[in-house]
Each structure stands twice: as structure tokens, then as C-alpha cells.
Amino acid sequence: MDVLWMVPLLLIPLLMWTSGAFVFYFKKFFYVAWMMCLALLAIPLCILKSGGRDVENMRLIRSLVRHVKYLLGLRFEVSGWEHLQTEGPYVIISNHQSSLDVLGLMEILPDRCTMIAKKELIYAGTVGLICWLGGIVFINRKKTSDAKSVMADAAETMLKDQIRLWVFPEGTRNQNGDLLPFKKGAFHLAVQAQVPIIPVVFSSYRSFYLRKEKQFKSGTIRLKILPKIETKGLTSDDVSDLCDKSFNVMHSAFLETSSSVPQSNGPVSH
Ligand SMILES: CCCCCCCCCCCCCCCCC(=O)SCCNC(=O)CCNC(=O)[C@H](O)C(C)(C)COP(=O)(O)OP(=O)(O)OC[C@H]1O[C@@H](n2cnc3c(N)ncnc32)[C@H](O)[C@@H]1OP(=O)(O)O
Ligand SMILES: CCCCCCCC/C=C\CCCCCCCC(=O)OC[C@@H](O)COP(=O)(O)O
């Protein structure tokens, strides 16, 4: 009789463990907590190595983040490596679905490359501090004039210090199964510095990660590096065309890579 009472007690944790929602919250919590711990480890190492804020710290950050994909059951299939074999500074643009993008970013991050991010990220505890140490350029999205002047300075620094910048031209996270229209900052930046743009496309996460449905399964992400788009000789009058052209190549690559993503746990019902 006493043993029967034990059954629900044992069943509850078992049910929780097998329920998608539990796995979702567990993996999300683990991801944030683990990144915070890695950042805590990286902070003194970066300070010892370069004495403070320096794009070279991204090498160490990159190597510390590379294993996190295994812990979350994610795989990356990268194509187009040859397009990153470009000398000197350039602007990388990519779509932005979730904070998980950091894992793919670190998978292919070239040397001397840092990012443009919203200024709120600096307050994200140890992660915020490591972003600052890694030379991330922070912009205030709510004040276009401030963001423009920070990006104009970044264009000069790119050339002076031979730095590459990664920008998310959608300007925010987006998981609606398509790309948002692009903001213009990344294209002004590339034109002002007269450097090429290298588009990178992450396939849709919808086969394994659904925020609203609380689903976070194992999955494969296709990362496609596309041929560079030159900006030599272009002026601010050409920015709209450049933006449209980049959107179009990335949009078709997004649809193409997302339709053929292998699904490790069977199809997702919507
Ligand atoms: C070891 C452990 C470690 C653990 C953790 C490690 C973490 C490490 C790294 C993590 C990094 C991850 C970083 C991720 C962060 C992602 C983000 O934060 S995304 C959000 C921030 N990024 C952006 O917003 C970039 C894209 N946005 C833009 O480029 C925008 O254009 C803008 C500059 C913010 C301006 O916004 P808005 O006004 O809404 O935009 P537009 O409509 O495009 O522009 C209006 C107007 O202004 C012109 N314009 C825009 N930019 C410029 C410019 N630089 N110069 C001149 N003019 C500009 C534009 O052309 C429009 O005018 P028009 O006449 O209509 O054309
Ligand atoms: C004490 C502060 C606690 C803050 C906790 C949050 C810390 C996050 C920790 C680990 C995650 C590691 C990856 C960090 C980088 C992710 C950056 C990111 O993806 O920002 C979102 C931003 O692009 C768009 O945001 P909006 O949806 O437009 O707004």
C-alpha cells in the first residue's frame, strides 16, 4: 500500500523531464548560466592578455564558446568558407533569430572581427563586460543620430585598426520564419569605409527551437557564407540599392537553406 503512494511521486519528475517545456526552460537557463560562467572565466584572462578592451580578445572568447553547441545538442553545417578568405576589413551581415546566434557566430568568426550590438547588452552581467572587453561597438537604437555617429566613428576605426565588424541588419531578433526588412546602418558603414560586405545566412531555427511553443530540441543549423558584395566607388546615394541587393541574396539563401534543414527529431507540427 505504502509503495503505491510512491508512484505519483516518481512519475512527476519523470513527466517533467520528458515534457518539452521542462527541457526548453532547462536548456535556456543552462545556456545563460553557462555563458555567464564562461564570461567570468574569460574576464581575467582577457585583462591579463591584452590589458583591457581589445578586438584580439575575441580569439579567446571564440575558443571558449565553441563547445557550447554540444551541450545544447546543436550542430552547424557551414558552407562558403572560401568567401571569408578576404584580406583586410569588411562588414559581415547576418540574420538574427535568437541569442543562440552567438554560437554560430563564434563558429565562423574571422580574426580581428567584433560586433555592433544594442547598448543594453553591456548591462548583462559578466556577458556584458566580456562584450566590452571584446571591443563590441554599442549603439543606442532609440537615438538614430547617436547610432549614426557611433557607426561613422566605427568606419574610421575599422580602417585605422584593420577591424572587421559583424552587424545584424534586421536590427532586432526575429523568429517569424522570414527576414525582417533591413535597416540601413550596416550599408552606410560599409560604404563609408569603402569595404566589402560579406552576407552570412543562418537557416531557420523553427525545426528545433520555438519560443512560443516552449520547444528546444536537438537540431542542425546551416550557416551559409555568401560571396562578398563590393562597395568600392559607391556613395550614400547607393545605400538603398545596396541594401535591397543584400536583402535579396540573403532572402533566397534563407529560404533555400531553411527548406532543406535536416530534422533530427522528426518534423515539428505547428
Ligand atoms: C567567453 C564567454 C562569452 C560569453 C558571451 C559571449 C558573447 C560575445 C558576443 C556576443 C555578441 C552578440 C551581439 C548580438 C547583438 C545583436 C544586437 O544587438 S542587434 C541590435 C543592434 N544592432 C543594430 O541595430 C544594427 C542594425 N541597425 C541599424 O543599422 C540602424 O540603421 C540604426 C543605425 C540603429 C538606425 O536605426 P533606425 O533609425 O531605426 O534605422 P534606419 O531606418 O535604417 O535609418 C534611418 C535613416 O538614417 C540613415 N542612416 C542609418 N544609419 C546611418 C549611418 N550609419 N550613416 C548615415 N545615415 C544612416 C538611413 O539611411 C535612414 O535614412 P533614409 O533617408 O531613410 O535612407
Ligand atoms: C544581470 C543581468 C542578467 C542578464 C542576463 C542576460 C545575459 C545573456 C547571457 C547569455 C547569453 C549569451 C549570448 C549573449 C549575446 C546575445 C545578444 C542578443 O541576442 O541580444 C539580443 C539583441 O540582439 C536583440 O534584442 P531585441 O530582441 O531586439 O531586444
Side-chain angles (χ1 to χ4, degrees):
M1 209 40 198
D2 280 354
V3 177
L4 275 181
W5 282 106
M6 304 277 287
V7 174
L9 279 179
L10 288 172
L11 269 180
I12 292 165
L14 192 74
L15 275 174
M16 274 174 72
W17 179 250
T18 48
S19 104
F22 177 78
V23 174
F24 175 86
Y25 285 115
F26 182 81
K27 280 174 122 176
K28 290 273 285 193
F29 172 81
F30 174 78
Y31 176 54
V32 173
W34 191 243
M35 292 297 254
M36 291 285 209
C37 292
L38 289 172
L40 186 64
L41 173 71
I43 290 164
L45 296 176
C46 286
I47 293 171
L48 281 174
K49 199 165 149 276
S50 23
R53 181 166 156 90
D54 190 336
V55 66
E56 285 297 318
N57 287 331
M58 275 298 168
R59 285 174 196 265
L60 184 95
I61 298 170
R62 181 177 67 188
S63 62
L64 279 173
V65 170
R66 285 268 174 99
H67 69 283
V68 178
K69 59 178 182 283
Y70 301 115
L71 305 178
L72 296 173
L74 300 177
R75 268 164 43 90
F76 288 95
E77 278 178 9
V78 182
S79 63
W81 277 112
E82 66 279 12
H83 302 308
L84 278 183
Q85 306 309 312
T86 300
E87 293 289 310
Y90 44 77
V91 173
I92 296 183
I93 54 172
S94 79
N95 54 321
H96 190 18
Q97 298 177 71
S98 145
S99 59
L100 293 173
D101 294 348
V102 171
L103 303 181
L105 179 152
M106 292 300 171
E107 211 52 24
I108 62 165
L109 190 75
D111 292 338
R112 298 196 66 74
C113 184
T114 187
M115 297 103 222
I116 298 234
K118 58 174 184 182
K119 72 168 180 26
E120 292 83 352
L121 194 60
I122 207 166
Y123 305 114
T126 54
V127 165
L129 185 51
I130 205 66
C131 287
W132 183 82
L133 286 168
I136 288 185
V137 176
F138 296 100
I139 57 165
N140 184 349
R141 292 184 295 184
K142 291 178 206 107
K143 277 199 175 163
T144 307
S145 57
D146 282 8
K148 280 193 213 172
S149 80
V150 170
M151 287 178 85
D153 289 349
E156 281 179 21
T157 314
M158 277 179 93
L159 297 176
K160 186 164 62 70
D161 297 342
Q162 295 290 295
I163 287 171
R164 291 144 179 176
L165 278 174
W166 188 306
V167 189
F168 294 93
E170 291 168 288
T172 185
R173 279 171 293 183
N174 159 49
Q175 233 213 329
N176 68 3
D178 206 345
L179 303 185
L180 293 177
F182 287 176
K183 306 260 181 191
K184 304 258 178 65
F187 309 97
H188 280 287
L189 175 70
V191 166
Q192 282 165 13
Q194 294 281 291
V195 297
I197 293 173
I198 302 185
V200 169
V201 173
F202 291 75
S203 63
S204 172
Y205 293 177
R206 292 173 72 88
S207 61
F208 65 91
Y209 178 72
L210 293 166
R211 210 171 326 176
K212 265 205 218 109
E213 287 82 347
K214 307 279 169 276
Q215 200 174 67
F216 191 167
K217 302 190 291 188
S218 299
T220 300
I221 300 153
R222 293 230 158 107
L223 256 179
K224 190 166 181 176
I225 306 160
L226 297 167
K228 68 178 173 206
I229 301 171
E230 290 292 355
T231 66
K232 275 253 159 0
L234 300 188
T235 67
S236 59
D237 293 340
D238 303 305
V239 162
S240 285
D241 285 347
L242 185 62
C243 179
D244 291 346
K245 183 177 169 185
S246 308
F247 180 89
N248 291 337
V249 292
M250 285 175 68
H251 192 235
S252 17
F254 178 75
L255 296 179
E256 180 220 317
T257 53
S258 303
S259 64
S260 57
V261 170
Q263 302 201 346
S264 48
N265 285 337
V268 175
S269 51
H270 295 290

